[in-house]
Structure formats: structure tokens, C-alpha cells
Amino acid sequence: MLLGAKSAAVDWLVVGLGNPGAKYEHTRHNMGFLTVDLLAEQAGVKLNKVKFKSAYNIIPFAGAKCLVMKPQTYMNLSGESVGEAARFYKIPADHVVVISDDISLPVGKLRIRTGGSAGGHNGLKNIIQHLGSDKFPRIKVGVGSPKQAGFEVVDWVIGKPMGEDQKVLTDALDRVVTAVPVLISQGVDRAMNRFNRT
């Protein structure tokens, strides 16, 4: 019974990807961190618990108990945190929602998917390795192309959006915060139909 109770304690993982530390705050690569911070703020809680190599808290969405987490391992090792939490709570991959930046999408464009490859994103790649599956839903936030902007990829993603880009991304994060409970309560397909168009 103890194991059963433990496994039933959480229904979903909601993971925002980013890099810890003041140097990376509000950068393009931290769209996931910014989103889950906003989710927590709107729920009136702080992601101030520490376990699974992450900062987290449990937040209810649409009747489901969700462990909302920010891995503190740095981006390319995010799977260590996600895999540990998923194993502890016995959460299947299709109940792990991962929010990340995406340089292949225009600034502010959202793309929700049921699964798929990492698409060159090291955080997603590591999560796939640690979950042993790529069949987890993800919400990608477009941050624009570094090539079009004349930047190297690393400099672009750890840079801070300014001006109009900042405004567009702020609006995009508000849409992600709306999309998460829709995905959890109504399914990935419904969330895709509603939010991939905007």
C-alpha cells in the first residue's frame, strides 16, 4: 500500500527547462523556467521545494495533481532530474509535459507535440535518454533564428530578448500558462488544435 500511495501522489510532471543561476535569468534558453514560474505565481505557490535535483512544488490543475519542476542540473542534464521524479512517482512518459525554447520557430510561436525527436535541443535529448522514450508531450516556445539575427546559437539562446521580441515572448508565455491545464484536462490533441495556430 505504501508504494501504491506514493505512485498516486502525483498525476503529471510539468517540467520547465532552463539553466539555473542569475547569469541565465530571462534568457531565451530559459523559456521553460519562466513559464513554470508564472504557473506557480498564478497558483499562489513558490517552486521552493528541493528534490530530484530540481526546484519544485505540487500544483493542482483541473483536478490533477501536478509536480511542477525546474531541473537544477543545467539544460543538457535535465533528464537526470525528470527521470528521477518520473520513476519515484511512477509517471508514464505521456504524463510528462516538457516546456522548452525552440530556435527553429518564429519568436512567440507555440508548437505543442505528442512526442518526437529532440530536434537538436540538448535538454530534450537528455530527457529522452533518461525516460527511455520520446513519447512525452512538449510545448515549444519559438525564440527565433540565431542565423537570421547574425548570432552563433549559444550566444543567441543565452542572450536576453529585447524590445518587441521581449513583448512577444511575454505574450507567448501567457498562452503557454493557459495551454498547460488544457493539455492536462482535455488532451494533447485539443491543446494542439487550440494553441498551435497562434
Side-chain angles (χ1 to χ4, degrees), residues 137-154:
R138 70 277 313 260
I139 304 176
K140 298 179 179 183
V141 182
V143 296
S145 169
K147 291 181 180 178
Q148 290 180 351
F151 283 80
E152 293 296 322
V153 171
V154 172

Side-chain angles (χ1 to χ4, degrees), residues 78-192:
S78 300
E80 294 180 2
S81 175
V82 178
E84 188 177 333
R87 287 189 298 273
F88 183 85
Y89 286 110
K90 297 179 172 55
I91 303 295
D94 64 358
H95 277 56
V96 178
V97 181
V98 179
I99 305 162
S100 69
D101 62 300
D102 192 317
I103 61 172
S104 68
L105 294 174
V107 177
K109 172 74 175 175
L110 302 187
R111 181 165 292 159
I112 300 173
R113 289 287 180 262
T114 56
S117 73
H121 193 287
N122 288 331
L124 293 173
K125 180 180 179 182
N126 196 249
I127 291 171
I128 290 169
Q129 290 173 350
H130 281 267
L131 288 180
S133 172
D134 64 1
K135 307 300 184 191
F136 56 88
R138 70 277 313 260
I139 304 176
K140 298 179 179 183
V141 182
V143 296
S145 169
K147 291 181 180 178
Q148 290 180 351
F151 283 80
E152 293 296 322
V153 171
V154 172
D155 294 333
W156 181 252
V157 296
I158 64 170
K160 297 181 180 180
M162 307 293 284
E164 184 63 20
D165 280 4
Q166 184 181 36
K167 179 179 181 298
V168 171
L169 285 169
T170 298
D171 291 342
L173 296 186
D174 286 337
R175 296 200 310 278
V176 179
V177 167
T178 305
V180 169
V182 171
L183 188 158
I184 288 169
S185 63
Q186 300 178 35
V188 182
D189 288 344
R190 182 69 63 89
M192 288 168 59

Side-chain angles (χ1 to χ4, degrees), residues 14 16-17 30-41 47 68 99-100 139 141 169 172-178 180:
V14 178
L17 298 189
N30 275 32
M31 290 298 111
F33 272 19
L34 292 168
T35 301
V36 295
D37 281 340
L38 191 56
L39 278 167
E41 180 183 322
L47 302 180
V68 179
I99 305 162
S100 69
I139 304 176
V141 182
L169 285 169
L173 296 186
D174 286 337
R175 296 200 310 278
V176 179
V177 167
T178 305
V180 169

